[in-house]
Amino acid sequence: MSLEREERLASEIKDLLGSRAVEIKIQRIRSIFVTVKKEDYKESIRKVVDRFAITHLSTITGADSGQTIDVMPHFSYAGTKITFKSSVPKTAAEIDTLTDIIPGAVMYEREIHDLLGVGFKGHPTPERFILPDDWPSDVYPLRKEYKVVRPEPIPKT
């Protein structure tokens, strides 16, 4: 199993992003992982999307890493998944929106905002997407500190 195609693509991405790329790893066949700083997130993605004429955003994943939340958009290009990763501190969980680059990011970003509390600067419709309107505004069910409260059983009479 050769990773030649992935190595060539990773090299092109590295040349394109230069010092913006903190790390570029080939995770496995057909999978490249690009780590960028929060302040380089949008411009790095814009450069790669423009250079490779990427039009498909598969999804955006959010993950609580303890003190930070990782935001990871996954793009599909010529049979290879290119994932970007950028971390935002929980105390200032905000990153630029991708909606002006990839309009399909609209609902994924709203979902991450609802469930993890990441704000997306410049998002055109930042309203709730998944959680009910009466959900507490500072409670995010996918953060590690969230505790599920189980209801008491109904006593038998």
Side-chain angles (χ1 to χ4, degrees):
M1 176 178 352
S2 172
L3 296 174
E4 185 177 318
R5 191 172 99 191
E6 291 81 0
E7 289 167 352
R8 190 171 38 252
L9 182 55
S11 178
E12 284 186 61
I13 293 170
K14 184 174 178 54
D15 291 344
L16 182 65
L17 298 182
S19 63
R20 283 190 173 107
V22 173
E23 180 180 41
I24 298 178
K25 290 184 352 187
I26 297 169
Q27 295 289 90
R28 61 187 124 344
I29 193 164
R30 294 188 304 274
S31 182
I32 298 172
F33 209 84
V34 181
T35 303
V36 295
K37 289 182 266 182
K38 171 184 149 177
E39 55 271 14
D40 294 326
Y41 172 80
K42 185 171 187 166
E43 188 57 29
S44 297
I45 291 170
R46 182 189 312 276
K47 283 180 167 288
V48 171
V49 164
D50 289 350
R51 165 64 181 83
F52 297 104
I54 294 172
T55 58
H56 183 70
L57 172 67
S58 302
T59 191
I60 302 176
T61 305
D64 185 339
S65 298
Q67 297 301 312
T68 63
I69 295 173
D70 298 330
V71 177
M72 298 169 283
H74 308 277
F75 296 92
S76 181
Y77 171 71
T80 299
K81 179 179 70 171
I82 302 171
T83 299
F84 282 83
K85 174 185 164 192
S86 191
S87 299
V88 296
K90 283 185 178 180
T91 55
E94 189 173 63
I95 198 162
D96 291 322
T97 186
L98 299 179
T99 56
D100 55 325
I101 300 170
I102 300 282
V106 136
M107 290 189 288
Y108 299 127
E109 290 180 352
R110 286 175 62 191
E111 178 183 34
I112 291 170
H113 179 262
D114 266 9
L115 301 176
L116 287 161
V118 176
F120 289 89
K121 291 186 284 188
H123 194 285
T125 53
E127 298 91 27
R128 287 216 185 269
F129 182 62
I130 294 176
L131 297 175
D133 290 336
D134 61 349
W135 187 269
S137 63
D138 59 345
V139 177
Y140 305 107
L142 291 185
R143 286 195 179 191
K144 290 184 177 187
E145 60 271 11
Y146 178 75
K147 301 291 183 230
V148 176
V149 178
R150 303 242 182 251
E152 293 293 322
I154 299 172
K156 293 181 182 183
T157 55

